[in-house]
């Protein structure tokens, strides 16, 4: 059974954050809230945990994983960011956006798109996520906790928090509870691998993103 940590959504308790981070460093997989949906995640540098996340979500190795960074400057360590991409991200983060970017050597292969050598990165507007990122010092994997999704990666039906916890209790090591019911809307995805940004998925905050991007045909 997973260990449940109840954190204040605006002022997460430092002692509990440190306990969660220590578990992540030891290879734990966690269920946690974000500014979009509840997510399954782990320390990006833990290969065994990455493999478990893939098994839980039944993801093949050619399916890239998204991860969270704490800031725009943090993104630059893990992705190649051109001037156009920098301007777009600076205007949108923190927020419910996933940016597809060319990966640097710091991104494990298990996280990347193996053909394109790209990765998906988010900077969340969520205090618990930011507290965990700051304390851990590494990116945190973020994949939707909904085990059933449609082909576009959108959850097919929302689950109440208690039901979601019950569903994943035996699959994860840590559950982070902020007392808030899970969101249902996913992040907006922008492909920034080319000079011309493209809207890949319309999710939360898409109205602000559409000004920067052209739809993918």
């Amino acid at each position: 059974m997973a260990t449940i940590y109840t954190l204040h959504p605006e002022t997460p308790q430092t002692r509990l954050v440190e306990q969660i981070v220590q578990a992540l460093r030891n290879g734990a997989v966690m269920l946690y809230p974000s500014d979009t949906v509840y997510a399954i995640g782990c320390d990006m540098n833990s290969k065994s945990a990455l493999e478990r996340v893939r098994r839980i979500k039944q993801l093949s190795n050619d399916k890239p994983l998204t991860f969270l960074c704490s800031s725009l400057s943090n993104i630059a360590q893990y992705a190649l960011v051109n001037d156009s991409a920098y301007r777009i991200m600076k205007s949108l983060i923190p927020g419910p956006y996933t940016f597809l970017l060319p990966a640097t050597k710091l991104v494990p292969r298990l996280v990347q798109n193996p053909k394109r050598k790209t990765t998906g990165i988010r900077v969340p507007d969520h205090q618990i996520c930011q507290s965990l990122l700051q304390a851990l010092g590494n990116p945190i994997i973020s994949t939707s906790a909904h085990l059933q999704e449609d082909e576009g990666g959108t959850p097919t039906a929302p689950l109440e928090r208690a039901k979601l916890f019950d569903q994943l209790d035996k699959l994860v090591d840590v559950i982070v509870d902020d007392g808030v019911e899970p969101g249902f809307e996913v992040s907006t995805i922008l492909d920034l691998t080319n000079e011309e940004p493209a809207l890949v998925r319309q999710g939360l905050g898409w109205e602000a993103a559409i000004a920067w991007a052209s739809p993918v045909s």
Side-chain angles (χ1 to χ4, degrees):
M1 293 178 61
T3 301
I4 299 178
Y5 295 88
T6 303
L7 297 184
H8 191 282
E10 300 299 330
T11 55
Q13 301 91 314
T14 301
R15 176 179 58 86
L16 297 182
V17 168
E18 290 292 344
Q19 290 177 17
I20 296 168
V21 163
Q22 188 57 54
L24 293 176
R25 289 181 178 138
N26 291 335
V29 171
M30 70 174 174
L31 172 66
Y32 66 102
S34 74
D35 53 351
T36 54
V37 298
Y38 252 79
I40 297 170
C42 64
D43 183 341
M44 190 180 74
N45 291 339
S46 174
K47 183 179 179 181
S48 62
L50 286 172
E51 291 171 341
R52 283 183 59 202
V53 170
R54 286 194 173 278
R55 287 197 298 271
I56 291 170
K57 286 299 297 282
Q58 299 182 357
L59 298 174
S60 61
N61 286 340
D62 61 354
K63 179 74 172 178
L65 290 168
T66 295
F67 60 88
L68 306 181
C69 281
S70 60
S71 65
L72 182 54
S73 59
N74 193 216
I75 286 179
Q77 299 178 53
Y78 301 97
L80 303 176
V81 181
N82 61 34
D83 290 343
S84 174
Y86 179 87
R87 289 194 299 272
I88 293 170
M89 290 190 293
K90 187 176 181 180
S91 72
L92 294 175
I93 62 175
Y97 304 99
T98 299
F99 305 106
L100 303 183
L101 292 159
T104 68
K105 293 181 180 180
L106 291 180
V107 180
R109 290 184 180 180
L110 276 174
V111 178
Q112 299 180 35
N113 180 312
K115 294 181 179 178
R116 300 183 66 199
K117 305 299 181 187
T118 58
T119 193
I121 304 179
R122 291 194 57 214
V123 177
D125 187 13
H126 192 275
Q127 190 54 54
I128 288 177
C129 291
Q130 286 290 345
S131 296
L132 291 170
L133 287 165
Q134 293 290 344
L136 180 63
N138 295 325
I140 294 173
I141 294 298
S142 177
T143 180
S144 166
H146 295 269
L147 300 185
Q148 293 182 339
E149 298 178 347
D150 64 21
E151 292 181 355
T154 301
T156 54
L159 284 178
E160 295 177 357
R161 195 166 86 260
K163 291 181 179 179
L164 185 63
F165 291 177
D166 286 344
Q167 185 183 53
L168 289 162
D169 180 57
K170 295 181 180 178
L171 299 178
V172 301
D173 307 298
V174 169
I175 294 176
V176 180
D177 183 8
D178 65 352
V180 180
E181 287 301 317
F184 180 59
E185 291 188 79
V186 292
S187 64
T188 291
I189 300 178
L190 284 175
D191 188 339
L192 303 182
T193 57
N194 300 308
E195 284 297 324
E196 185 74 18
L199 181 67
V200 176
R201 183 178 73 190
Q202 183 174 304
L204 275 175
W206 69 270
E207 299 92 343
I210 198 70
W212 294 97
S214 57
V216 173
S217 57

